[in-house]
Amino acid sequence: MSVSVDNLNLENVKAALLAASNPSSQLLFHEETPLKVKAHLLQGKESKQLIQEIREEGDKLLQETIPALTYSLFRLFSTTGSRREYELVYFRRRNRLTTFGLLAWLDGVDSPYLDALSDTISSILDEYTWCLPAHILHGPEMRPAEEAQYAAEGLVNRSTESFTIDLFAAETAFALSEISALLGDALPQLLRVRIREEVLRRILRPFVTQAPSHWETATHNWASVCGGSIAAAAIYTLQDEDELAAVLERAFPALASYLSGFEEDGACTEGYMYWQYGFGYFTYAADLILRRTGGAVNWFQADKVRQVALFQQKSFLHGRKVVNFSDSQGEAGIFMGLSGYLKQLYPEIEHPELSLRAGFRDDHCSRWAPALRNLLWSLEDIEESAWRTAAYYLPDAQWLVSRQLQEQGAYVFAAKGGHNNEPHNHNDIGHFILYAQGETLLPDLGSGQYSRKYFGPERYEILCNGSQSHSVPIIDGLYQQAGAEHRAEVLKYNSNEEQDDFALEISSAYETEKLNELVRRFTWHKTEPPTLEVTDSYEFAQAPTAVVERFMAWHHPQQAEDGRIVIAASAEARVLVSYDMDLFDWEVETLHHVNHFDQPETCYALDFKLKPGVLSDSNLNIHAAFRFDFQ
């Protein structure tokens, strides 16, 4: 039987489950036995290297004790807004779970890592919460005073317990359930029983009995990670088809809601890292659902899923350098398991070079699900290819990514319109990135260090989130404003072998009545080497006191001998900026960014300031042209 994902209800989901006979312990191995799978992994060139990385991590962790999640760490978010201290310890514990889980499975019952895995699982089962403090500040786990009084009087029992289900609680349930199924009798029976009890108590039972969580109708990564992880945990935990069908019927709308957040172009406006995360968990869950239902429930048949799968090849500048609009890092390794799986589903996907593989420790959250699938799903003999010369235009997201691979090197230009209420939004309408010869010369700073402030009302005061750190104008000292009403209008897009043209009207990004119109035009000339022209055409209703054309750089801009400004990372990676000296003076401001890993980074704002007297009540239009030449 086949069940359309548009027509999933309790009865047909249950019928699909009853018609299938796949034991949960075999869902990951398809047509092969676990022993054959392990043999292949130990023989493959790429998989052997990955296994060696896992062993090195495991041997290091054996010398360490399990770090404690103390109350002092737990309370820091509520008292200081800092997430880092607790999360560092939390993810070190999850690193032990993932590392020892993989090694215990690879080595079998005689594994020296099995005891360490058992201790780690026991410790995680004892955690007060599997959530992060940032996600349960107002959750039932915080125990209001009146509820604590009732509990002391014995009026609250286990049947009335309530739990917050966040990303990491759901992921933990997925990981523990899958490890238990994967290791089977090699894992002590007591731990397997406790895993089942805690997954039921903390995740599956609350999911079907409590009021819906906010993420169940979200259109971003929370819906797929939480919904997908819960579906996976249920598949491994629940043997009764009625119970499993009830959980899946509740989880499927969250997966559908996640997909609804994508437009037809398949772009993930949260940024590439959230594509890897959110769409990864969608894929891991959809695969298990497909196999547990004997192929009856197939999310991969939807054309939108195929379009989202194609996003990866459109979101890299070159090598590991990412088109990192929104909260995304500037570099990323590839999850080869996810890439290999999607390539087998959709042949038009370009499988990236194996040298771009993410290392085992590249995921600072040490997530189990992608780590296991990077072993099981990676393709050793795939026809790999470098990111190719191409111009990708994503009309719904209003992204243009144009990549030129030439004899002397790679040159890439990326620009965006969009609006200022995107998931993990930065105020960045009209922003662009320039890459040459291994270096991002005009960058996006990417994501900063997550904290309470980062996701609160002060978000855009943080450098990387506001337009003050993007290559966009500043008008009368005003930065772009947040909100969906502040959006770009695409006036033109055209691409051919000679050049790409992209024009946006972006005046609504600025909350000033002085500005009638602001058109930003990009012309990317595909010469050898390429040249970019950026032109801003302003029409004012009233003369502003200041106009600044800001361009961001990682390397300190300097004046060249011919009067142009040079931004250089090396002798090969450099760009020269031409401007109208009659209109603008220039200066450089040093800015300080704190990246996602709490590391300080210095960046530079190259500011072209409109000279006094250029604008007046009798002259309210200006045409600001800049040219970027690679040399």
Side-chain angles (χ1 to χ4, degrees):
M1 65 175 293
S2 177
V3 181
S4 168
V5 295
D6 296 322
N7 186 35
L8 291 170
N9 57 48
L10 188 62
E11 292 306 314
N12 57 33
V13 171
K14 180 182 174 183
L17 294 172
L18 287 168
S21 59
N22 296 331
S24 61
S25 60
Q26 294 297 312
L27 292 174
L28 286 164
F29 301 113
H30 307 173
E31 304 300 322
E32 292 190 302
T33 66
L35 285 177
K36 285 185 177 180
V37 171
K38 292 180 192 180
H40 293 326
L41 293 175
L42 294 171
Q43 294 168 4
K45 178 183 175 183
E46 295 295 325
S47 55
K48 278 196 299 186
Q49 182 180 340
L50 179 54
I51 290 171
Q52 180 59 32
E53 292 175 21
I54 300 169
R55 289 197 186 283
E56 290 172 359
E57 184 68 14
D59 291 341
K60 184 184 75 172
L61 291 174
L62 284 177
Q63 308 306 311
E64 303 175 2
T65 58
I66 301 174
L69 285 173
T70 64
Y71 179 72
S72 296
L73 291 173
F74 179 82
R75 71 182 181 183
L76 280 176
F77 180 77
S78 64
T79 57
T80 70
S82 177
R83 297 173 53 153
R84 180 172 173 77
E85 295 83 357
Y86 185 93
E87 292 180 13
L88 281 174
V89 176
Y90 182 98
F91 293 129
R92 281 170 60 197
R93 292 164 66 89
R94 295 313 185 267
N95 183 32
R96 296 176 72 88
L97 178 69
T98 296
T99 304
F100 293 144
L102 293 173
L103 292 172
W105 173 69
L106 287 166
D107 291 354
V109 292
D110 298 324
S111 171
Y113 306 100
L114 188 56
D115 284 345
L117 172 64
S118 298
D119 288 343
T120 300
I121 289 175
S122 180
S123 182
I124 289 173
L125 292 171
D126 289 341
E127 289 175 356
Y128 176 62
T129 176
W130 290 343
C131 299
L132 298 185
H135 299 155
I136 64 167
L137 191 59
H138 304 291
E141 293 85 352
M142 302 310 286
R143 311 291 288 181
E146 61 272 17
E147 183 177 326
Q149 178 63 36
Y150 291 149
E153 296 172 359
L155 299 178
V156 174
N157 58 45
R158 291 175 64 88
S159 66
T160 60
E161 284 184 298
S162 297
F163 290 90
T164 301
I165 302 175
D166 78 337
L167 297 165
F168 300 98
E171 287 179 38
T172 299
F174 184 175
L176 290 171
S177 302
E178 192 161 73
I179 290 170
S180 182
L182 197 63
L183 269 66
D185 292 341
L187 197 65
Q189 183 181 16
L190 174 61
L191 289 181
R192 286 185 281 127
V193 170
R194 285 202 65 204
I195 286 171
R196 186 177 190 277
E197 288 179 344
E198 290 300 313
V199 169
L200 283 169
R201 185 174 76 93
R202 297 172 186 253
I203 303 298
L204 299 183
R205 194 175 294 126
F207 179 60
V208 296
T209 61
Q210 291 179 179
S213 298
H214 67 89
W215 51 260
E216 294 184 51
T217 54
T219 55
H220 50 68
N221 68 86
W222 274 72
S224 64
V225 176
C226 295
S229 293
I230 289 171
I235 286 170
Y236 285 119
T237 303
L238 301 175
Q239 305 306 314
D240 182 90
E241 282 81 6
D242 287 316
E243 292 181 339
L244 178 54
V247 175
L248 293 181
E249 185 197 30
R250 177 79 177 264
F252 287 164
L255 298 180
S257 187
Y258 169 71
L259 290 179
S260 74
F262 292 91
E263 301 295 341
E264 296 307 311
D265 61 11
C268 180
T269 54
E270 293 182 273
Y272 172 72
M273 300 304 292
Y274 283 100
W275 176 91
Q276 192 181 69
Y277 181 33
F279 191 63
Y281 270 84
F282 173 88
T283 302
Y284 312 146
D287 171 73
L288 288 171
I289 293 163
L290 179 70
R291 300 190 185 284
R292 179 60 184 84
T293 60
V297 180
N298 187 351
W299 289 85
F300 299 111
Q301 291 178 330
D303 184 65
K304 181 179 280 190
V305 176
R306 182 179 67 85
Q307 290 296 337
V308 177
L310 288 166
F311 178 71
Q312 177 172 264
Q313 65 206 49
K314 303 171 185 178
S315 56
F316 276 82
L317 297 164
H318 188 246
R320 292 171 180 258
K321 300 286 188 179
V322 174
V323 181
N324 63 324
F325 300 137
S326 303
D327 276 339
S328 187
Q329 297 158 41
E331 292 192 24
I334 303 292
F335 284 0
M336 289 301 173
L338 179 60
S339 299
Y341 185 91
L342 295 175
K343 175 66 175 176
Q344 292 186 313
L345 286 176
Y346 311 113
E348 63 267 44
I349 284 179
E350 298 171 25
H351 194 286
E353 295 175 298
L354 297 179
S355 62
L356 302 181
R357 172 180 67 83
F360 177 65
R361 290 293 289 122
D362 282 6
D363 178 7
H364 71 282
C365 295
S366 301
R367 297 178 173 96
W368 163 264
L372 175 63
R373 287 155 180 81
N374 281 337
L375 273 175
L376 298 182
W377 288 356
S378 293
L379 305 177
E380 291 277 348
D381 301 321
I382 189 67
E383 183 179 338
E384 55 179 313
S385 61
W387 306 123
R388 64 183 179 88
T389 292
Y392 297 110
Y393 179 57
L394 302 168
D396 299 306
Q398 300 178 353
W399 286 22
L400 169 61
V401 180
S402 190
R403 190 187 302 129
Q404 287 291 304
L405 304 184
Q406 300 179 353
E407 185 175 346
Q408 61 268 49
Y411 303 89
V412 191
F413 157 64
K416 74 178 297 291
H419 61 81
N420 282 343
N421 193 34
E422 295 163 347
H424 282 267
N425 180 67
H426 291 189
N427 290 340
D428 59 357
I429 296 170
H431 174 55
F432 69 101
I433 297 171
L434 269 186
Y435 168 96
Q437 305 283 39
E439 298 286 346
T440 308
L441 295 174
L442 273 73
D444 190 300
L445 300 187
S447 59
Q449 173 61 36
Y450 287 179
S451 64
R452 185 168 57 194
K453 180 179 177 181
Y454 198 89
F455 293 103
E458 302 166 292
R459 176 178 177 85
Y460 298 105
E461 296 175 14
I462 297 172
L463 180 67
C464 63
N465 298 329
S467 70
Q468 60 267 33
S469 68
H470 294 81
S471 294
V472 295
I474 303 168
I475 301 170
D476 261 350
L478 299 175
Y479 303 132
Q480 293 187 5
Q481 296 295 300
E485 68 275 20
H486 303 289
R487 61 178 56 242
E489 177 189 355
V490 176
L491 302 180
K492 179 182 182 182
Y493 167 69
N494 183 63
S495 179
N496 55 45
E497 293 183 359
E498 286 74 39
Q499 68 185 45
D500 298 318
D501 295 292
F502 189 34
L504 304 164
E505 209 294 315
I506 63 173
S507 61
S508 72
Y510 300 88
E511 212 161 71
T512 172
E513 295 180 356
K514 293 181 180 180
L515 182 63
N516 285 339
E517 183 179 82
L518 172 51
V519 175
R520 169 159 278 196
R521 294 181 174 85
F522 299 102
T523 304
W524 176 242
H525 299 280
K526 301 173 184 178
T527 51
E528 293 193 14
T531 294
L532 174 67
E533 293 178 4
V534 179
T535 303
D536 288 336
S537 298
Y538 298 83
E539 178 186 300
F540 289 101
Q542 179 183 344
T545 56
V547 174
V548 176
E549 291 275 355
R550 172 163 287 186
F551 303 104
M552 295 300 300
W554 286 124
H555 306 278
H556 198 292
Q558 307 282 345
Q559 184 159 21
E561 291 182 359
D562 61 3
R564 293 184 292 178
I565 312 301
V566 61
I567 300 171
S570 67
E572 296 77 24
R574 59 201 305 264
V575 66
L576 288 158
V577 187
S578 305
Y579 67 102
D580 189 334
M581 298 180 189
D582 292 330
L583 291 180
F584 293 99
D585 294 318
W586 69 277
E587 66 180 31
V588 175
E589 182 178 353
T590 301
L591 301 173
H592 301 285
H593 168 55
V594 178
N595 69 21
H596 190 65
F597 303 106
D598 200 28
Q599 298 165 332
E601 294 180 322
T602 300
C603 54
Y604 303 94
L606 172 59
D607 288 344
F608 293 93
K609 297 187 173 184
L610 193 67
K611 291 182 176 181
V614 171
L615 284 171
S616 64
D617 291 339
S618 60
N619 180 27
L620 294 172
N621 297 337
I622 56 169
H623 188 72
F626 301 87
R627 181 181 175 96
F628 299 83
D629 292 291
F630 298 108
Q631 288 188 1

